[in-house]
Structures are given as structure tokens and as C-alpha cells.
């Protein structure tokens, strides 16, 4: 579940060319219909196959002296599905965080073609120490996505070039 090379929807670009005999990548296994499981707090989550049902985006990353604030949204195919969040250090140690749900009518109009009476957005704040790497896990509809945060990745995600490539 590496986040390097993920686009704004949490997907890896396709790899390997025609005639390649290399081992199948995660995205190739998903397209072939094979199930893959990941662990979440001692229970198994089996990801849906094919096109990802869950979509998410981190809109804003604010780094303060000792805190980081993430604003974004997460949706599933079902408008009533709720996203759960978990923040850890890179080694898996849980990090205390505060999550506040926010109203995102713009997102509901794009993905559901109507305003949904649900808070699809999030505002997550946690303690941040420069030089360390943190992971945000977003869990929705039996899928889990990981987004890593460290100084280099934050600088890359907040660059103008990255924002030009992103789509809602």
C-alpha cells in the first residue's frame, strides 16, 4: 500500500508493457479479479476489485509549529457510507488526532448528482514533529487507503505543479 505515485483518487498508474513477464503489480491483480486483504486493527478488510469505489482528496495541508491540519473529503459508492480515519507514525504506532466532519455539497453534487444530507468532508489535526513520517488511513466501504506525510511529501503535495495535475 505505498502512496508513492498515487493520483488524487488513490490509484496507482498502470505499470509494465506489452509482453512483460514481470510479476503482476497490485493494480494488475485487482483488474484480474484476485482478492487482496489488508489488516486494520486485528480485523480483515477485503478491498473491492476493479475500479475503486472509494474516492478521496486531501485539499489542504497546514503545518503549524507542532501540529498538522488536513482538510479534505472521502466518499464511497453509497452516499450513506461513512469514512473512518486512523493516524499512525510510519512504524505503526497510533497517533492521537482530532477529526471533525465538514459539509461538502460540492463533492456530493459531483459524485452523486444531488446534495446529500451528510458531512463528506473532514478536518483532521494531530501533533507533528518535523523529520518524522506519519500515515493517514482512510477506511470506507471495506477499502483502506494510506496517505503518507513527511516534510518532503508535504512540500511536493503543496507545490503548484502537483495542484495543476490534480482533479477533484
Amino acid at each position: 500500500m505505498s502512496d508513492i505515485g498515487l493520483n488524487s483518487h488513490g490509484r496507482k498508474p498502470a505499470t509494465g508493457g506489452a509482453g512483460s513477464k514481470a510479476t503482476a503489480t497490485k493494480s494488475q491483480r485487482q483488474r484480474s479479479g484476485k482478492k487482496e486483504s489488508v489488516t486494520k486493527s486485528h480485523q480483515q478488510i477485503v478491498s473491492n476489485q476493479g475500479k475503486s469505489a472509494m474516492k478521496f482528496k486531501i485539499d489542504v495541508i497546514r503545518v503549524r509549529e507542532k501540529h498538522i491540519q488536513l482538510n479534505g473529503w472521502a466518499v464511497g459508492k453509497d452516499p450513506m457510507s461513512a469514512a473512518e480515519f486512523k493516524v499512525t507514525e510510519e512504524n505503526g504506532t497510533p497517533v492521537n488526532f482530532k477529526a471533525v466532519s465538514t459539509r461538502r455539497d460540492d463533492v456530493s453534487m459531483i459524485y452523486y448528482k444531488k446534495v446529500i444530507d451528510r458531512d463528506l468532508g473532514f478536518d483532521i489535526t494531530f501533533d507533528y514533529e518535523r523529520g518524522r513520517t506519519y500515515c493517514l488511513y482512510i477506511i470506507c466501504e471495506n477499502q483502506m487507503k494510506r496517505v503518507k506525510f513527511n516534510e518532503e511529501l508535504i512540500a511536493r503535495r503543496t507545490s503548484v505543479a502537483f495542484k495543476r495535475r490534480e482533479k477533484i
Side-chain angles (χ1 to χ4, degrees):
M1 273 196 357
S2 173
D3 64 334
I4 304 299
L6 294 182
N7 66 15
S8 64
H9 298 293
R11 296 187 204 122
K12 272 187 175 177
T15 58
S20 172
K21 299 200 185 246
T23 307
T25 65
K26 180 179 175 182
S27 59
Q28 290 167 333
R29 287 191 302 272
Q30 287 177 335
R31 284 193 297 269
S32 71
K34 293 181 182 175
K35 293 198 178 204
E36 184 172 305
S37 63
V38 293
T39 304
K40 178 215 162 208
S41 301
H42 306 292
Q43 60 178 272
Q44 294 295 316
I45 294 177
V46 179
S47 63
N48 294 337
Q49 301 307 311
K51 200 169 191 179
S52 176
M54 177 177 67
K55 305 229 184 291
F56 72 94
K57 182 177 178 195
I58 309 292
D59 292 318
V60 178
I61 303 170
R62 288 183 197 92
V63 178
R64 302 289 186 236
E65 287 182 27
K66 295 189 178 205
H67 293 54
I68 187 167
Q69 183 178 15
L70 309 172
N71 299 105
W73 52 265
V75 297
K77 277 190 178 180
D78 179 3
M80 301 319 279
S81 62
E84 298 175 37
F85 305 97
K86 178 179 164 184
V87 179
T88 68
E89 292 183 16
E90 188 173 32
N91 64 9
T93 305
V95 173
N96 289 330
F97 67 96
K98 179 182 175 187
V100 177
S101 297
T102 59
R103 184 80 179 209
R104 291 296 304 261
D105 291 343
D106 59 326
V107 174
S108 69
M109 287 299 294
I110 290 169
Y111 287 100
Y112 304 118
K113 308 296 185 231
K114 62 183 177 180
V115 175
I116 303 297
D117 190 23
R118 297 223 5 135
D119 293 337
L120 302 174
F122 58 83
D123 180 344
I124 295 175
T125 305
F126 59 92
D127 290 340
Y128 176 75
E129 185 179 321
R130 293 193 185 278
R132 299 190 100 160
T133 300
Y134 297 89
C135 299
L136 169 67
Y137 292 89
I138 304 171
I139 302 112
C140 184
E141 291 184 342
N142 295 327
Q143 288 190 313
M144 181 167 57
K145 302 291 183 175
R146 179 181 75 174
V147 183
K148 287 173 73 172
F149 295 96
N150 61 32
E151 289 180 68
E152 179 187 341
L153 293 171
I154 291 169
R156 190 179 311 155
R157 288 183 68 90
T158 56
S159 72
V160 173
F162 182 86
K163 290 182 186 280
R164 282 187 190 141
R165 289 189 305 264
E166 258 188 338
K167 295 179 184 177
I168 188 164

